[in-house]
Amino acid sequence: MATSTQQPAAPTAGAPAPRRRRGSRRFSGRDKLVLGLMLGVPTVLHVALVWLPAVLSVVLSFGKWDGIGGVSSIKWVGADNYHQIATNYPPFWPAVHHNLYWLGVLLLIGTPLGLFFAILLDKELKGSRFYQSALYTPVVLSLALVGFIWTLIYSNDQGLINNAFGSHVDWLGNPKVNIWAVLVAATWKHVGYIMVLYLAGLKSVDTSIKEASSIDGATEVQTFRYVVFPALRPVNVVVLVVTVIESLRAFDIVYILNGGTNGLELLSVLITQNILGEASRLGFGSAIAVILLVISLTFIITYLVNTFRREAES
Amino acid sequence: MGVETPARTRGSSAERREGKAPLRPARVVLQVFLAVTSLVWLFPLLYAVYTALRPYQDTAGNARGYFSLGGHYNFKNFTDAWTQADFPHYFVNTLIVTAPSLVLILILSSMVAFGLSRFNFKGNLLLLMIFTAGNLLPQQVLITPLYRLYIKVPLPGWMSDSGTLYDSYWGLILIHVAFQIGFCTFVLSNYMKTLPHELTEAALVDGASVWRQYYQIVLPLCRAPFAALATLEFTWIYNDFFWATVLVQSGDKKPITSALANLHGQYFTNNNLIAAASLLTAIPTLIVYFALQRQFIGGLTVGATKG
């Protein structure tokens, strides 16, 4: 009752304010509590288990700690871990290169292929449901399983390729070859994912603008280049982020195949090895994690600013 | 004839929608191309099925070799993998982790999404960004502090026989929920923003509480994104390898995907058995995907294009 009698006073506050003020006045104390809990519980959980550890990783990266003994046994060494990583840690630069190869292959081969298939399937031919399922199936499998399934093809003396062609390439053992063999498997999975994202995007593009441009005499390629692709901009951003993040997160498949060693080093694996391995160098592992974090956040923040700016404007 | 010509010029899109396009060379080429591509794409999986159907003796050594036809075909590798490797046990582990995680993720993220999308308050956008960005972080970045935290947090014996959050189902459920509410909040809040404001405003006039607006008005309208998210999240949690590898130590508590990696060295010295085991592991996700395929694509539209 009290809230409703106060309402007439609100409009005097000026143009932008009324909406928010009116909203908050209508809340009873109980409503505020309920809303607080609905927002608070998930937020606390998410921040405590995701953001807090991420921040603590940054702190830990400036120390040396074997994890035995309490937090007080951490020896603070400043940027020493970072210095060592860059100058005196052999697997680091190969891992960076492998992550870049991963990104390059997904970005230049996997993603365009996904877009290409999406365009073909968007034509809704007979049987496109089957084609779509076939291309998407690998996405449903975990990368760990993908690793097993491709072992059957790559394995040295029991694998399909060497048996079929009488070759003797050690696809998974040779450090010069194995990263590319693994990337074939990773791309196999990536293409379907991108395809579905684009397919969803294409379906939401207004068909009338496509028809309009074809009436105007544009070829199919021109229509795509000048009409459809620009309209796909939001999906393109999502796809770009997905591709970058996937290549930074890559882990399972190489870890399954050989623990991420001997030619399959990745940043994610180096972190895991330093933290769980016998050496248990928690500070050192955290420093690699922070490097990964900084790279990821650069992309994530760009993406978020891009996404939410439009929203804030509207 | 006179009627047909304008219809033809109006574009092929009308024909496409009806799916009755006349056989034109371009279309045949396209069909053949897609059919071949699909087979190429399915090939590794089909080859795994083929290998799994053949006994080890036929393929290994010099009997026939892996690249061969003939010999015996049976399901013995599947039954062997099922019984030798204790598959039912690991499937149950996966179920114990996946089911509660899914329910909690959907409940909690729908609550945040409701708060964020239906009310204006300070920090609203920032909170949404925190959730969205959190889900995009590489898991390895969190693992050191998380691992230490899990070792330190005590749980009573009836909840975890390790006595801590580490090496318990609870710990796995907790991290899945914490990590994945980020993604679901993002998708659901985008969806809820598309629901007309009049819906809740009318209820507000009628004196409905915040909880009733959420529970009786907004939630029932979210079935479509829920179905899509449930499919996606099921696949992700089911397929999780990293969390289960790092946060669960005991082999007998591992979910199926990460357990398979252990079993790999332990039991499976032959590729035929590996093939069968891999395929068995993949079955639940394949079933869920094909059963919910339609909702899934629809839900992705919500998530991908509104972003």
Side-chain angles (χ1 to χ4, degrees), chain B residues 30-283:
Chain B
L30 197 57
Q31 284 281 1
V32 171
F33 174 77
L34 281 171
V36 171
T37 311
S38 299
L39 284 181
V40 169
W41 233 254
L42 285 177
F43 179 77
L45 215 56
L46 295 175
Y47 180 67
V49 175
Y50 182 63
T51 307
L53 290 171
R54 313 178 73 190
Y56 184 66
Q57 292 74 19
D58 275 7
T59 50
N62 42 22
R64 285 172 188 274
Y66 275 85
F67 186 66
S68 63
L69 288 169
H72 303 85
Y73 299 96
N74 55 43
F75 291 97
K76 187 152 186 316
N77 287 314
F78 289 97
T79 50
D80 280 358
W82 184 265
T83 50
Q84 276 181 35
D86 210 3
F87 258 61
H89 175 84
Y90 295 111
F91 272 124
V92 170
N93 285 355
T94 294
L95 190 68
I96 292 174
V97 172
T98 312
S101 301
L102 267 182
V103 174
L104 282 171
I105 288 168
L106 291 182
I107 293 175
L108 291 175
S109 59
S110 65
M111 285 179 175
V112 192
F114 171 75
L116 291 178
S117 62
R118 310 300 289 185
F119 301 96
N120 268 318
F121 55 88
K122 231 180 172 180
N124 178 310
L125 204 59
L126 181 75
L127 201 55
L128 184 56
M129 283 172 117
I130 286 175
F131 276 102
T132 312
N135 182 255
L136 292 173
L137 294 179
Q139 289 94 319
Q140 286 83 4
V141 168
L142 326 174
I143 197 61
T144 317
L146 197 68
Y147 177 77
R148 308 310 300 184
L149 184 79
Y150 268 42
I151 292 179
K152 284 274 182 292
V153 175
L155 284 185
W158 62 267
M159 287 171 81
S160 152
D161 48 26
S162 64
T164 59
L165 210 48
Y166 175 68
D167 201 22
S168 73
Y169 298 124
W170 300 87
L172 267 189
I173 294 170
L174 214 54
I175 190 62
H176 281 310
V177 173
F179 202 73
Q180 297 298 351
I181 36 179
F183 177 76
C184 294
T185 297
F186 177 67
V187 173
L188 284 173
S189 76
N190 277 337
Y191 180 81
M192 288 180 191
K193 272 177 202 154
T194 65
L195 301 176
H197 256 281
E198 288 77 16
L199 272 175
T200 38
E201 238 136 61
L204 212 61
V205 174
D206 292 344
S209 67
V210 166
W211 178 255
R212 280 192 62 183
Q213 289 178 44
Y214 162 74
Y215 191 72
Q216 292 190 325
I217 299 172
V218 173
L219 215 51
L221 293 170
C222 288
R223 267 190 217 140
F226 269 178
L229 286 175
T231 323
L232 269 179
E233 292 295 337
F234 173 80
T235 328
W236 286 340
I237 297 172
Y238 181 95
N239 284 336
D240 162 60
F241 177 74
F242 181 72
W243 297 126
T245 303
V246 180
L247 297 176
V248 175
Q249 187 185 32
S250 327
D252 65 341
K253 273 189 214 145
K254 294 220 186 229
I256 185 90
T257 307
S258 60
L260 191 66
N262 274 11
L263 300 170
H264 183 31
Q266 224 174 319
Y267 297 98
F268 301 151
T269 47
N270 81 57
N271 272 347
N272 308 63
L273 206 52
I274 291 183
S278 304
L279 291 167
L280 282 178
T281 311
I283 287 172

Side-chain angles (χ1 to χ4, degrees), chain A residues 46-79:
Chain A
H46 183 72
V47 169
L49 290 179
V50 175
W51 286 103
L52 185 72
V55 172
L56 288 176
S57 277
V58 179
V59 177
L60 269 182
S61 75
F62 296 107
K64 269 196 174 14
W65 191 28
D66 57 11
I68 307 163
V71 182
S72 58
S73 66
I74 302 176
K75 217 176 96 199
W76 300 105
V77 293

Side-chain angles (χ1 to χ4, degrees), chain A residues 128-155:
Chain A
S128 65
R129 197 69 177 280
F130 167 77
Y131 303 138
Q132 185 186 315
S133 300
L135 293 169
Y136 190 76
T137 300
V139 188
V140 182
L141 312 174
S142 76
L143 274 167
L145 286 184
V146 170
F148 287 120
I149 288 170
W150 282 81
T151 314
L152 302 172
I153 290 171
Y154 285 132
S155 159

Side-chain angles (χ1 to χ4, degrees), chain A residues 88-155:
Chain A
N88 190 22
Y89 185 54
F92 178 70
W93 290 108
V96 171
H97 292 154
H98 293 156
N99 272 104
L100 284 174
Y101 295 160
W102 209 286
L103 178 63
V105 169
L106 292 194
L107 208 59
L108 299 176
I109 299 173
T111 302
L113 219 60
L115 174 61
F116 178 63
F117 290 146
I119 295 167
L120 295 188
L121 291 181
D122 190 46
K123 293 181 186 302
E124 294 185 359
L125 302 156
K126 234 181 214 159
S128 65
R129 197 69 177 280
F130 167 77
Y131 303 138
Q132 185 186 315
S133 300
L135 293 169
Y136 190 76
T137 300
V139 188
V140 182
L141 312 174
S142 76
L143 274 167
L145 286 184
V146 170
F148 287 120
I149 288 170
W150 282 81
T151 314
L152 302 172
I153 290 171
Y154 285 132
S155 159

